[in-house]
Amino acid sequence: MKILITGAKGFVGKNLIAELLNRGLNELFEFDVDSDLTLLDKYTRECEFVFHLAGVNRPENKEDFMKGNFGFTSQLLDLLKKHHNKAPVLITSSIQATLDNPYGRSKKAGEDLLFTYSHETGSTVYVYRLPNIFGKWCRPNYNSAVATFCHNIAGNLPVQVSDPNIIMNLVYIDDVIVSFIDKLNQAGKTDQKTEYESVLPVHTSTLGEIVTLLNQFKESRTNLQLPDFGKPFIKKLYSTYLSYLPEDQFLYPLKMNIDDRGSFTEFLKTKDRGQVSINISRPHITKGNHWHHTKNEKFLVVSGKGVIRFRKIDTDEIIEYFVSGDKLEVVDIPVGYRHNIENISDTDLVTVMWVNEVFDKENPDTFYSEV
């Protein structure tokens, strides 16, 4: 399918094109403000679907709202008519189309124009009234508060929030793109449309809550506390935040607790899923020799060879499990068993250790006793 995308270099356009290519759709006609206008004549002759994403939202003059959001749409539709091309057209409008301001009026005019075009030609049209969109590749300091906050907080720049109680309704860019491509897959299967399309889910948050979350994301690189990814908005916002990290700051250090036996390093912590640490034991070193009431662990040796030994606190029987980085196997550490891990190789033994709770020095639930 030959697909025309106007506004191809914009935030939504870049994400849409990336996903279309992911799905093997590579006959893409990309058109943007700096494209040769003669190309639009060629593209409107050949295209089989139109994603009309181009628009103006922060012009130097108010008159340019109507020129960019109505005038160019009119030009695009006239060319489709000229070539008798009834390809479906999807246009991005805004929830501000209901407001009486220059931007809203220009968006509403573009919508009405598209519905009229549909009635005249029989072409299928999709009009999306979108709220704020957030996600990767959105330009900061332009028209997205989320993009600006992410950019500034990730780059150690100040953030200004005039009113933290302002409520924002937001949709995530990947959800937008999925909805758009669903319409592409329906091409030729639906009649002309007269109602507005929307993207789900819509996430609601205040500016203050967003800034608080973003600062928590930043702090997670030092306190190691992962956000609650069970909440869809937090999961999507965290992914968005990471996309704004300066390219020389992807790396961050961990505190390695080093002694003559090797090292122990905390990696990740969560409020309700415990924590993950990396344990390195030098050759022929034994670590552990303790047991727990409620705290339980999982050990995964990823390099070297070792043996994990257990002895129930009321018996003398020792149980052994031999482990190796050559064969990845998880060993559960049940409560009520003394346990240790010995490096039986001549190289370092590297073990990923998960425990069901973050370490609490006031209540460590760890009782030292030899296996």
Side-chain angles (χ1 to χ4, degrees):
M1 181 179 286
K2 297 178 180 179
I3 303 168
L4 168 59
I5 304 105
T6 70
K9 294 180 181 178
F11 167 42
V12 178
K14 287 195 290 186
N15 278 274
L16 175 62
I17 289 168
E19 185 57 22
L20 290 173
L21 293 173
N22 284 343
R23 300 189 184 205
L25 297 165
N26 50 26
E27 288 192 270
L28 307 181
F29 299 150
E30 301 180 27
F31 191 87
D32 210 89
V33 65
D34 58 354
S35 300
D36 186 341
L37 198 58
T38 60
L39 288 174
L40 195 60
D41 186 76
K42 173 181 181 296
Y43 293 163
T44 51
R45 182 189 308 115
E46 299 180 16
C47 68
E48 298 166 271
F49 196 98
V50 180
F51 288 102
H52 181 32
L53 314 178
V56 173
N57 50 35
R58 292 189 71 177
E60 293 184 4
N61 302 307
K62 291 182 179 180
E63 295 75 17
D64 290 336
F65 278 121
M66 195 61 71
K67 180 180 178 181
N69 295 325
F70 173 82
F72 181 65
T73 300
S74 178
Q75 188 175 12
L76 171 69
L77 299 180
D78 285 346
L79 286 172
L80 289 169
K81 287 182 186 177
K82 170 187 170 182
H83 298 302
H84 307 286
N85 187 342
K86 295 186 178 182
V89 181
L90 183 154
I91 186 173
T92 50
S93 185
S94 167
I95 55 174
Q96 291 198 44
T98 61
L99 303 180
D100 187 20
N101 59 44
Y103 177 66
R105 289 193 294 270
S106 68
K107 282 297 189 181
K108 182 64 166 63
E111 294 176 354
D112 293 342
L113 186 65
L114 197 64
F115 285 134
T116 300
Y117 167 81
S118 177
H119 288 305
E120 290 177 350
T121 64
S123 300
T124 299
V125 300
Y126 304 100
V127 178
Y128 275 81
R129 280 190 170 175
L130 296 170
N132 296 282
I133 311 174
F134 70 104
K136 64 185 183 301
W137 305 335
C138 186
R139 177 179 167 187
N141 301 307
Y142 186 55
N143 67 336
S144 168
V146 172
T148 302
F149 292 160
C150 287
H151 173 266
N152 286 15
I153 291 173
N156 296 313
L157 299 173
V159 169
Q160 294 182 344
V161 182
S162 57
D163 183 356
N165 296 313
I166 290 177
I167 296 174
M168 296 190 70
N169 293 314
L170 305 114
V171 289
Y172 185 52
I173 186 61
D174 288 8
D175 296 326
V176 173
I177 300 307
V178 166
S179 184
F180 284 6
I181 293 179
D182 283 347
K183 295 298 185 288
L184 176 67
N185 293 333
Q186 294 172 15
K189 301 176 185 178
T190 56
D191 298 325
Q192 50 185 298
K193 306 275 287 185
T194 56
E195 67 270 15
Y196 300 104
E197 304 289 341
S198 58
V199 175
L200 295 175
V202 177
H203 303 283
T204 301
S205 183
T206 66
L207 287 179
E209 289 168 345
I210 291 170
V211 170
T212 296
L213 284 170
L214 294 175
N215 279 313
Q216 289 174 357
F217 299 162
K218 181 178 181 178
E219 292 165 4
S220 71
R221 292 165 63 121
T222 53
N223 64 23
L224 309 182
Q225 284 280 357
L226 287 178
D228 183 357
F229 293 136
K231 297 178 179 177
F233 177 63
I234 292 179
K235 175 183 176 182
K236 296 168 184 177
L237 187 64
Y238 182 74
S239 295
T240 301
Y241 170 77
L242 288 185
S243 73
Y244 288 87
L245 285 176
E247 292 185 353
D248 62 349
Q249 293 181 31
F250 292 176
L251 179 77
Y252 64 98
L254 296 174
K255 180 185 177 184
M256 297 180 66
N257 300 290
I258 302 173
D259 59 25
D260 56 0
R261 302 174 302 159
S263 66
F264 181 82
T265 306
E266 295 178 324
F267 175 27
L268 299 171
K269 299 179 181 180
T270 67
K271 290 183 178 179
D272 59 348
R273 298 292 190 275
Q275 72 177 57
V276 178
S277 304
I278 308 300
N279 184 75
I280 299 177
S281 300
R282 298 194 185 282
H284 311 293
I285 289 293
T286 299
K287 288 187 176 183
N289 286 317
H290 56 241
W291 64 278
H292 314 289
H293 279 303
T294 303
K295 181 184 294 185
N296 56 87
E297 301 165 287
K298 294 179 184 289
F299 289 2
L300 172 63
V301 168
V302 296
S303 180
K305 298 181 186 298
V307 57
I308 301 172
R309 297 186 177 91
F310 297 89
R311 180 164 66 91
K312 207 170 186 178
I313 61 170
D314 59 353
T315 71
D316 293 327
E317 179 186 3
I318 294 177
I319 305 166
E320 293 183 328
Y321 284 89
F322 289 87
V323 288
S324 168
D326 297 331
K327 183 181 181 182
L328 298 186
E329 298 175 299
V330 176
V331 178
D332 270 317
I333 312 298
V335 298
Y337 283 83
R338 301 175 178 91
H339 54 276
N340 65 27
I341 181 168
E342 180 186 354
N343 183 353
I344 58 174
S345 61
D346 294 326
T347 59
D348 284 349
L349 179 72
V350 182
T351 308
V352 178
M353 295 181 171
W354 170 86
V355 60
N356 67 322
E357 60 185 37
V358 173
F359 178 72
D360 179 2
K361 64 181 181 181
E362 301 300 326
N363 183 28
D365 188 13
T366 300
F367 306 95
Y368 291 91
S369 182
E370 293 284 338
V371 173

